[in-house]
Amino acid sequence: MDAAYAAYLDQVRAHRAELGEAMAALEAALALPMGLGVTWRRRVRAALTELAHDLRDHVGLTEAEGALYTDIRVSAPRLTHGVELQLKDHVELLAEVERLLAERDEGMHDPDDLAGHREAATRLLDRLVRHRQRGSDLIYEAYAVDIGGSG
C-alpha cells in the first residue's frame, strides 16, 4: 500500500470515529425520557441531524471514484459481494435517516408516534453498528489494516 492510500485510510479511520460519536449522541438522546417533551424532541433532532451529516460524509468518502470501495473491488475482487452489501446499506441507511428527519419535522406530539420514532431510530443505530462491523471486516480482509473499533 502506498503512502497516499495509507493516508486516505487514516482519513477513513478518523471519519469512522466521528460517525461513531454521532451514533453515541443519538443513542444518548434516545435514552432520555420522552416525558421531557420538547427537550427530548430537540435533542433527538440535533443528534439525527449530525448523524445524517456524518453518514453523508461517510458515503462520499467511501464511494468516490478511486476511493475505498472502488479500490477493494479492483485489488480484492473476491470481496465485491461485501462491497455491494455496503453500497446497498448506504442507500437504505441514508433513506432511513432522511425519513426519520422528515417524520420529526412533521411534528410528533402523540406518545405513540414518539415511541415509534424512538424505536425506528434505535433500529437505525443497530443497522449502523452492523454496517460498521462489515466495513471493518472488509478493510481488514482487503488490506490487513485494522480501521479501529473505538469511536
Side-chain angles (χ1 to χ4, degrees):
M1 179 183 317
D2 69 12
Y5 204 75
Y8 166 74
L9 285 179
D10 284 342
Q11 184 182 8
V12 170
R13 183 180 288 115
H15 188 269
R16 176 183 172 80
E18 288 178 26
L19 183 58
E21 290 169 9
M23 291 167 60
L26 178 57
E27 182 179 21
L30 292 169
L32 292 170
M34 286 188 300
L36 291 174
V38 71
T39 300
W40 184 86
R41 291 191 297 275
R42 285 181 184 154
R43 291 277 306 272
V44 170
R45 169 70 176 163
L48 270 172
T49 300
E50 182 63 26
L51 181 67
H53 171 78
D54 287 347
L55 187 57
R56 286 197 262 338
D57 285 353
H58 165 75
V59 170
L61 185 64
T62 58
E63 289 189 14
E65 187 61 37
L68 181 66
Y69 291 134
T70 301
D71 190 72
I72 290 174
R73 284 182 180 151
V74 171
S75 64
R78 72 189 187 287
L79 301 175
T80 297
H81 177 69
V83 169
E84 294 301 323
L85 289 175
Q86 293 297 91
L87 297 174
K88 182 177 183 263
D89 265 1
H90 286 173
V91 171
E92 293 171 358
L93 291 166
L94 285 169
E96 180 61 4
V97 78
E98 293 301 328
R99 186 193 72 75
L100 286 167
L101 284 168
E103 177 179 82
R104 182 51 201 94
D105 286 342
E106 291 171 5
M108 298 176 306
H109 301 287
D110 183 84
D112 289 339
D113 292 341
L114 289 171
H117 185 75
R118 177 191 259 172
E119 183 59 34
T122 301
R123 283 192 306 272
L124 172 68
L125 286 173
D126 185 53
R127 289 194 63 200
L128 281 164
V129 166
R130 287 192 306 271
H131 177 78
R132 286 167 42 100
Q133 290 168 344
R134 282 193 313 271
S136 179
D137 288 345
L138 266 175
I139 291 169
Y140 189 81
E141 288 181 51
Y143 308 113
V145 170
D146 178 7
I147 200 70
S150 64

Short mmCIF file of all heavy atoms in Angstrom, two decimals, residues 42-78:
data_model
loop_
_atom_site.label_atom_id
_atom_site.label_comp_id
_atom_site.label_asym_id
_atom_site.label_seq_id
_atom_site.Cartn_x
_atom_site.Cartn_y
_atom_site.Cartn_z
N ARG A 42 -35.97 17.99 20.70
CA ARG A 42 -34.85 18.82 20.20
C ARG A 42 -33.53 18.05 20.23
O ARG A 42 -32.74 18.14 19.29
CB ARG A 42 -34.73 20.10 21.01
CG ARG A 42 -35.78 21.12 20.68
CD ARG A 42 -35.60 22.38 21.48
NE ARG A 42 -36.68 23.30 21.20
CZ ARG A 42 -37.10 24.23 22.03
NH1 ARG A 42 -36.50 24.39 23.22
NH2 ARG A 42 -38.07 25.03 21.70
N ARG A 43 -33.30 17.32 21.31
CA ARG A 43 -32.05 16.56 21.41
C ARG A 43 -31.99 15.47 20.35
O ARG A 43 -30.95 15.26 19.72
CB ARG A 43 -31.92 15.93 22.80
CG ARG A 43 -31.68 16.92 23.93
CD ARG A 43 -30.23 17.34 24.10
NE ARG A 43 -29.28 16.27 24.25
CZ ARG A 43 -28.93 15.72 25.40
NH1 ARG A 43 -29.47 16.12 26.53
NH2 ARG A 43 -28.04 14.76 25.42
N VAL A 44 -33.11 14.78 20.14
CA VAL A 44 -33.14 13.72 19.12
C VAL A 44 -32.96 14.34 17.74
O VAL A 44 -32.19 13.83 16.91
CB VAL A 44 -34.44 12.89 19.21
CG1 VAL A 44 -34.59 11.97 18.02
CG2 VAL A 44 -34.46 12.09 20.51
N ARG A 45 -33.62 15.46 17.49
CA ARG A 45 -33.49 16.14 16.19
C ARG A 45 -32.04 16.55 15.94
O ARG A 45 -31.51 16.34 14.86
CB ARG A 45 -34.42 17.36 16.16
CG ARG A 45 -34.20 18.29 15.00
CD ARG A 45 -34.63 17.67 13.71
NE ARG A 45 -34.49 18.65 12.64
CZ ARG A 45 -34.48 18.35 11.38
NH1 ARG A 45 -34.61 17.11 11.01
NH2 ARG A 45 -34.35 19.26 10.47
N ALA A 46 -31.39 17.14 16.93
CA ALA A 46 -30.00 17.58 16.77
C ALA A 46 -29.09 16.38 16.51
O ALA A 46 -28.21 16.43 15.63
CB ALA A 46 -29.54 18.34 18.00
N ALA A 47 -29.29 15.30 17.24
CA ALA A 47 -28.46 14.12 17.07
C ALA A 47 -28.70 13.47 15.71
O ALA A 47 -27.75 13.03 15.04
CB ALA A 47 -28.72 13.12 18.20
N LEU A 48 -29.94 13.41 15.27
CA LEU A 48 -30.25 12.86 13.94
C LEU A 48 -29.65 13.72 12.83
O LEU A 48 -29.14 13.20 11.84
CB LEU A 48 -31.77 12.79 13.73
CG LEU A 48 -32.46 11.52 14.15
CD1 LEU A 48 -33.98 11.69 14.04
CD2 LEU A 48 -32.00 10.32 13.34
N THR A 49 -29.68 15.03 13.01
CA THR A 49 -29.11 15.93 12.02
C THR A 49 -27.61 15.71 11.89
O THR A 49 -27.07 15.63 10.78
CB THR A 49 -29.42 17.39 12.38
OG1 THR A 49 -30.84 17.56 12.42
CG2 THR A 49 -28.83 18.36 11.38
N GLU A 50 -26.92 15.59 13.01
CA GLU A 50 -25.48 15.34 12.99
C GLU A 50 -25.18 13.97 12.37
O GLU A 50 -24.24 13.83 11.58
CB GLU A 50 -24.90 15.42 14.40
CG GLU A 50 -23.41 15.22 14.46
CD GLU A 50 -22.61 16.28 13.71
OE1 GLU A 50 -23.09 17.41 13.56
OE2 GLU A 50 -21.49 15.96 13.27
N LEU A 51 -25.97 12.98 12.72
CA LEU A 51 -25.78 11.65 12.16
C LEU A 51 -25.97 11.68 10.64
O LEU A 51 -25.19 11.08 9.90
CB LEU A 51 -26.74 10.65 12.80
CG LEU A 51 -26.61 9.22 12.30
CD1 LEU A 51 -25.27 8.61 12.70
CD2 LEU A 51 -27.75 8.38 12.82
N ALA A 52 -26.98 12.38 10.18
CA ALA A 52 -27.23 12.48 8.73
C ALA A 52 -26.03 13.11 8.03
O ALA A 52 -25.59 12.63 6.98
CB ALA A 52 -28.50 13.30 8.47
N HIS A 53 -25.48 14.16 8.62
CA HIS A 53 -24.32 14.83 8.04
C HIS A 53 -23.12 13.87 7.98
O HIS A 53 -22.47 13.74 6.93
CB HIS A 53 -23.98 16.06 8.89
CG HIS A 53 -22.70 16.71 8.52
ND1 HIS A 53 -22.55 17.53 7.42
CD2 HIS A 53 -21.47 16.65 9.10
CE1 HIS A 53 -21.30 17.92 7.33
NE2 HIS A 53 -20.63 17.41 8.34
N ASP A 54 -22.84 13.19 9.08
CA ASP A 54 -21.69 12.28 9.11
C ASP A 54 -21.90 11.08 8.21
O ASP A 54 -20.95 10.58 7.59
CB ASP A 54 -21.40 11.84 10.54
CG ASP A 54 -20.77 12.94 11.38
OD1 ASP A 54 -20.34 13.97 10.80
OD2 ASP A 54 -20.70 12.79 12.60
N LEU A 55 -23.12 10.62 8.09
CA LEU A 55 -23.40 9.49 7.20
C LEU A 55 -23.20 9.89 5.74
O LEU A 55 -22.61 9.15 4.95
CB LEU A 55 -24.81 8.97 7.45
CG LEU A 55 -25.21 7.70 6.71
CD1 LEU A 55 -24.26 6.54 7.01
CD2 LEU A 55 -26.64 7.31 7.09
N ARG A 56 -23.66 11.09 5.37
CA ARG A 56 -23.44 11.56 4.01
C ARG A 56 -21.95 11.71 3.72
O ARG A 56 -21.48 11.35 2.63
CB ARG A 56 -24.15 12.90 3.77
CG ARG A 56 -25.66 12.76 3.62
CD ARG A 56 -26.31 13.96 3.00
NE ARG A 56 -26.96 15.02 3.67
CZ ARG A 56 -27.51 15.11 4.88
NH1 ARG A 56 -27.46 14.16 5.70
NH2 ARG A 56 -28.11 16.17 5.29
N ASP A 57 -21.20 12.22 4.68
CA ASP A 57 -19.75 12.32 4.52
C ASP A 57 -19.11 10.94 4.34
O ASP A 57 -18.22 10.76 3.52
CB ASP A 57 -19.11 13.01 5.73
CG ASP A 57 -19.34 14.51 5.74
OD1 ASP A 57 -19.87 15.07 4.74
OD2 ASP A 57 -18.98 15.14 6.76
N HIS A 58 -19.58 9.99 5.12
CA HIS A 58 -19.07 8.61 5.03
C HIS A 58 -19.30 8.04 3.64
O HIS A 58 -18.39 7.47 3.03
CB HIS A 58 -19.75 7.73 6.09
CG HIS A 58 -19.59 6.27 5.86
ND1 HIS A 58 -18.41 5.60 6.11
CD2 HIS A 58 -20.46 5.34 5.38
CE1 HIS A 58 -18.56 4.32 5.80
NE2 HIS A 58 -19.79 4.14 5.36
N VAL A 59 -20.49 8.22 3.12
CA VAL A 59 -20.81 7.72 1.78
C VAL A 59 -19.91 8.39 0.75
O VAL A 59 -19.33 7.72 -0.11
CB VAL A 59 -22.31 7.92 1.46
CG1 VAL A 59 -22.60 7.64 0.00
CG2 VAL A 59 -23.17 7.02 2.37
N GLY A 60 -19.77 9.70 0.82
CA GLY A 60 -18.92 10.41 -0.12
C GLY A 60 -17.47 9.96 -0.04
O GLY A 60 -16.80 9.79 -1.07
N LEU A 61 -16.99 9.75 1.15
CA LEU A 61 -15.59 9.35 1.36
C LEU A 61 -15.31 7.95 0.84
O LEU A 61 -14.24 7.68 0.30
CB LEU A 61 -15.26 9.44 2.85
CG LEU A 61 -13.83 9.18 3.28
CD1 LEU A 61 -12.89 10.22 2.69
CD2 LEU A 61 -13.74 9.18 4.81
N THR A 62 -16.26 7.05 1.00
CA THR A 62 -16.01 5.65 0.63
C THR A 62 -16.45 5.30 -0.79
O THR A 62 -15.94 4.34 -1.36
CB THR A 62 -16.71 4.69 1.62
OG1 THR A 62 -18.11 4.96 1.62
CG2 THR A 62 -16.12 4.83 3.02
N GLU A 63 -17.37 6.08 -1.36
CA GLU A 63 -17.89 5.75 -2.69
C GLU A 63 -17.30 6.57 -3.82
O GLU A 63 -17.57 6.27 -4.99
CB GLU A 63 -19.42 5.92 -2.72
CG GLU A 63 -20.16 4.87 -1.94
CD GLU A 63 -21.66 4.95 -2.18
OE1 GLU A 63 -22.11 5.63 -3.13
OE2 GLU A 63 -22.40 4.31 -1.40
N ALA A 64 -16.51 7.57 -3.53
CA ALA A 64 -15.94 8.41 -4.59
C ALA A 64 -15.11 7.55 -5.54
O ALA A 64 -14.59 6.49 -5.16
CB ALA A 64 -15.07 9.51 -3.97
N GLU A 65 -14.98 8.02 -6.78
CA GLU A 65 -14.18 7.30 -7.78
C GLU A 65 -12.75 7.13 -7.26
O GLU A 65 -12.13 8.08 -6.81
CB GLU A 65 -14.18 8.06 -9.10
CG GLU A 65 -13.52 7.30 -10.22
CD GLU A 65 -14.20 5.98 -10.55
OE1 GLU A 65 -15.44 5.91 -10.48
OE2 GLU A 65 -13.47 5.02 -10.86
N GLY A 66 -12.28 5.91 -7.28
CA GLY A 66 -10.93 5.61 -6.82
C GLY A 66 -10.81 5.48 -5.31
O GLY A 66 -9.72 5.25 -4.79
N ALA A 67 -11.91 5.65 -4.60
CA ALA A 67 -11.89 5.60 -3.14
C ALA A 67 -11.99 4.15 -2.66
O ALA A 67 -11.80 3.20 -3.42
CB ALA A 67 -13.00 6.46 -2.56
N LEU A 68 -12.31 3.98 -1.42
CA LEU A 68 -12.27 2.70 -0.74
C LEU A 68 -12.95 1.57 -1.49
O LEU A 68 -12.33 0.55 -1.80
CB LEU A 68 -12.89 2.85 0.66
CG LEU A 68 -12.89 1.59 1.51
CD1 LEU A 68 -11.46 1.19 1.87
CD2 LEU A 68 -13.70 1.82 2.78
N TYR A 69 -14.23 1.72 -1.79
CA TYR A 69 -14.95 0.59 -2.36
C TYR A 69 -14.52 0.30 -3.80
O TYR A 69 -14.50 -0.86 -4.21
CB TYR A 69 -16.46 0.78 -2.23
CG TYR A 69 -16.90 0.68 -0.78
CD1 TYR A 69 -17.76 1.60 -0.22
CD2 TYR A 69 -16.40 -0.33 0.05
CE1 TYR A 69 -18.14 1.52 1.11
CE2 TYR A 69 -16.78 -0.41 1.38
CZ TYR A 69 -17.65 0.50 1.90
OH TYR A 69 -18.02 0.41 3.22
N THR A 70 -14.15 1.31 -4.53
CA THR A 70 -13.60 1.08 -5.88
C THR A 70 -12.29 0.32 -5.77
O THR A 70 -12.06 -0.65 -6.50
CB THR A 70 -13.38 2.42 -6.61
OG1 THR A 70 -14.61 3.10 -6.71
CG2 THR A 70 -12.79 2.19 -7.99
N ASP A 71 -11.43 0.74 -4.86
CA ASP A 71 -10.13 0.09 -4.71
C ASP A 71 -10.28 -1.36 -4.25
O ASP A 71 -9.56 -2.24 -4.74
CB ASP A 71 -9.26 0.87 -3.73
CG ASP A 71 -7.84 0.35 -3.74
OD1 ASP A 71 -7.13 0.58 -4.74
OD2 ASP A 71 -7.45 -0.32 -2.76
N ILE A 72 -11.18 -1.62 -3.33
CA ILE A 72 -11.37 -3.00 -2.86
C ILE A 72 -11.83 -3.88 -4.02
O ILE A 72 -11.34 -5.01 -4.18
CB ILE A 72 -12.36 -3.07 -1.68
CG1 ILE A 72 -11.71 -2.45 -0.43
CG2 ILE A 72 -12.77 -4.51 -1.40
CD1 ILE A 72 -12.64 -2.34 0.77
N ARG A 73 -12.75 -3.38 -4.83
CA ARG A 73 -13.20 -4.17 -5.99
C ARG A 73 -12.05 -4.52 -6.91
O ARG A 73 -11.99 -5.62 -7.46
CB ARG A 73 -14.25 -3.40 -6.78
CG ARG A 73 -15.60 -3.38 -6.16
CD ARG A 73 -16.52 -2.62 -7.09
NE ARG A 73 -17.84 -2.54 -6.55
CZ ARG A 73 -18.68 -1.56 -6.79
NH1 ARG A 73 -18.31 -0.56 -7.57
NH2 ARG A 73 -19.87 -1.55 -6.27
N VAL A 74 -11.13 -3.58 -7.11
CA VAL A 74 -10.01 -3.79 -8.02
C VAL A 74 -8.93 -4.66 -7.38
O VAL A 74 -8.44 -5.61 -7.99
CB VAL A 74 -9.40 -2.43 -8.46
CG1 VAL A 74 -8.10 -2.62 -9.21
CG2 VAL A 74 -10.41 -1.66 -9.30
N SER A 75 -8.56 -4.34 -6.14
CA SER A 75 -7.44 -5.04 -5.51
C SER A 75 -7.84 -6.37 -4.88
O SER A 75 -6.99 -7.23 -4.69
CB SER A 75 -6.78 -4.14 -4.46
OG SER A 75 -7.68 -3.86 -3.42
N ALA A 76 -9.11 -6.54 -4.54
CA ALA A 76 -9.58 -7.78 -3.91
C ALA A 76 -10.96 -8.14 -4.45
O ALA A 76 -11.96 -8.06 -3.74
CB ALA A 76 -9.61 -7.60 -2.39
N PRO A 77 -11.02 -8.55 -5.73
CA PRO A 77 -12.33 -8.81 -6.34
C PRO A 77 -13.17 -9.86 -5.60
O PRO A 77 -14.39 -9.84 -5.71
CB PRO A 77 -11.99 -9.26 -7.76
CG PRO A 77 -10.53 -9.34 -7.86
CD PRO A 77 -9.92 -8.75 -6.64
N ARG A 78 -12.53 -10.70 -4.84
CA ARG A 78 -13.27 -11.71 -4.07
C ARG A 78 -14.20 -11.06 -3.04
O ARG A 78 -15.13 -11.69 -2.54
CB ARG A 78 -12.29 -12.66 -3.38
CG ARG A 78 -11.56 -12.04 -2.22
CD ARG A 78 -10.44 -12.91 -1.66
NE ARG A 78 -9.86 -12.35 -0.46
CZ ARG A 78 -9.06 -11.29 -0.41
NH1 ARG A 78 -8.72 -10.65 -1.52
NH2 ARG A 78 -8.58 -10.86 0.74
#
